[in-house]
C-alpha cells in the first residue's frame, strides 16, 4: 500500500473511532434551537473544558489548560488508538480538537470541531459541520447531560502511556 493510501486508511479509521466515541445523546435530542441563542464565549469554553477529562464510553480526552494540550484515547476491541495535539476555542462558540491519531496501522491528523450556543442557562452543542444540536448542559445540570461527563480527574494520561508503548511497539513490528 502506498503512503497516501495508508495515511487515508489511518485517517478514516481514526475518524470512525472518534465518531463512535463522541456524544451519543444527539439521537435522543431534537435538532431545534430556541430562537435567541448566543455563542458561548472563549472564556466560558475555557471554564468548561480546561483541566478536565471528557469521559467517553471507551476512553476520553484530557483538555490540559497549560498550552491547551490535548491527549485522548479510545480502546474499543481491536481498535485501540490515541491522540496528541491541541484544543482551540474562539468567541463564536467553537471548540476544536486538533490532533494526530495513532493506530496500529500508523498515524494521521484529525480536526474535530463542536459549536456551543447558549439560551439563558442552557448550553447546546453540535459537531461541525452538520451534526444535530443537542442539550450539552441544562440550566440546572442533570446527570444525563454531556457536561456531566467532564470531570477533574485525569483518567487519560495513565492509559495514554500504556497505549502509546503498545501501539508504537506494534507499529514498529509491522502491525
Amino acid at each position: 500500500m502506498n503512503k497516501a493510501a495508508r495515511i487515508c486508511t489511518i485517517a478514516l479509521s481514526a475518524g470512525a473511532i472518534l465518531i463512535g466515541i463522541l456524544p451519543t445523546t444527539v439521537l435522543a435530542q431534537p435538532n431545534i434551537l430556541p430562537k435567541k441563542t448566543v455563542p458561548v464565549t472563549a472564556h466560558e469554553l475555557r471554564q468548561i473544558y480546561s483541566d478536565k477529562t471528557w469521559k467517553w464510553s471507551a476512553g476520553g480526552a484530557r483538555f490540559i489548560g497549560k498550552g491547551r494540550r490535548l491527549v485522548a484515547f479510545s480502546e474499543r476491541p481491536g481498535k485501540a488508538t490515541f491522540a496528541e495535539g491541541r484544543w482551540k476555542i474562539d468567541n463564536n462558540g467553537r471548540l476544536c480538537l486538533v490532533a494526530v491519531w495513532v493506530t496500529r496501522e500508523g498515524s494521521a491528523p484529525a480536526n474535530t470541531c463542536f459549536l456551543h450556543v447558549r439560551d439563558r442557562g442552557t448550553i447546546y452543542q453540535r459537531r461541525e459541520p452538520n451534526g444535530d444540536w443537542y442539550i450539552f448542559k441544562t440550566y440546572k445540570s442533570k446527570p444525563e447531560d454531556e457536561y456531566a461527563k467532564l470531570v477533574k480527574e485525569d483518567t487519560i494520561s495513565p492509559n495514554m502511556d500504556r497505549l502509546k508503548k503498545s501501539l508504537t511497539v506494534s507499529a514498529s513490528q509491522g502491525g
Side-chain angles (χ1 to χ4, degrees), residues 9 22 36-37 61 69 82 114 126 133:
T9 300
L22 289 176
K36 295 184 179 183
T37 60
R69 286 189 43 246
F82 72 88
F114 296 88
R126 79 175 177 104
W133 287 104

Side-chain angles (χ1 to χ4, degrees), residues 14-27:
I17 290 167
L18 192 56
I19 288 168
I21 58 182
L22 289 176
T24 55
T25 54
V26 292
L27 302 175

Side-chain angles (χ1 to χ4, degrees), residues 35-110:
K35 293 183 193 269
K36 295 184 179 183
T37 60
V38 295
V40 174
T41 67
H43 176 76
E44 290 169 307
L45 289 172
R46 190 177 306 107
Q47 288 180 317
I48 291 169
Y49 290 97
S50 189
D51 294 321
K52 303 258 180 63
T53 297
W54 191 356
K55 294 171 74 173
W56 302 330
S57 62
R62 181 72 180 169
F63 298 86
I64 300 164
K66 186 175 183 179
R68 290 216 191 110
R69 286 189 43 246
L70 173 80
V71 291
F73 84 94
S74 174
E75 233 179 339
R76 294 203 181 274
K79 295 183 179 171
T81 183
F82 72 88
E84 293 181 290
R86 292 180 37 89
W87 55 287
K88 298 180 179 185
I89 52 178
D90 67 24
N91 280 319
N92 295 316
R94 184 172 286 109
L95 163 74
C96 293
L97 316 180
V98 181
V100 173
W101 284 86
V102 178
T103 66
R104 290 194 189 287
E105 291 79 31
S107 62

Side-chain angles (χ1 to χ4, degrees), residues 83-161:
E84 293 181 290
R86 292 180 37 89
W87 55 287
K88 298 180 179 185
I89 52 178
D90 67 24
N91 280 319
N92 295 316
R94 184 172 286 109
L95 163 74
C96 293
L97 316 180
V98 181
V100 173
W101 284 86
V102 178
T103 66
R104 290 194 189 287
E105 291 79 31
S107 62
N111 186 0
T112 305
C113 296
F114 296 88
L115 283 179
H116 299 76
V117 296
R118 180 177 16 84
D119 177 51
R120 292 169 264 185
T122 298
I123 297 174
Y124 299 84
Q125 182 188 68
R126 79 175 177 104
R127 183 176 172 162
E128 288 191 297
N130 50 13
D132 290 334
W133 287 104
Y134 58 94
I135 295 172
F136 176 74
K137 179 182 183 286
T138 51
Y139 175 68
K140 292 185 177 184
S141 294
K142 298 178 182 175
E144 62 269 19
D145 288 351
E146 195 63 32
Y147 175 80
K149 296 177 185 173
L150 288 166
V151 298
K152 288 223 175 257
E153 180 185 4
D154 182 1
T155 59
I156 305 303
S157 298
N159 291 295
M160 278 283 299
D161 294 340

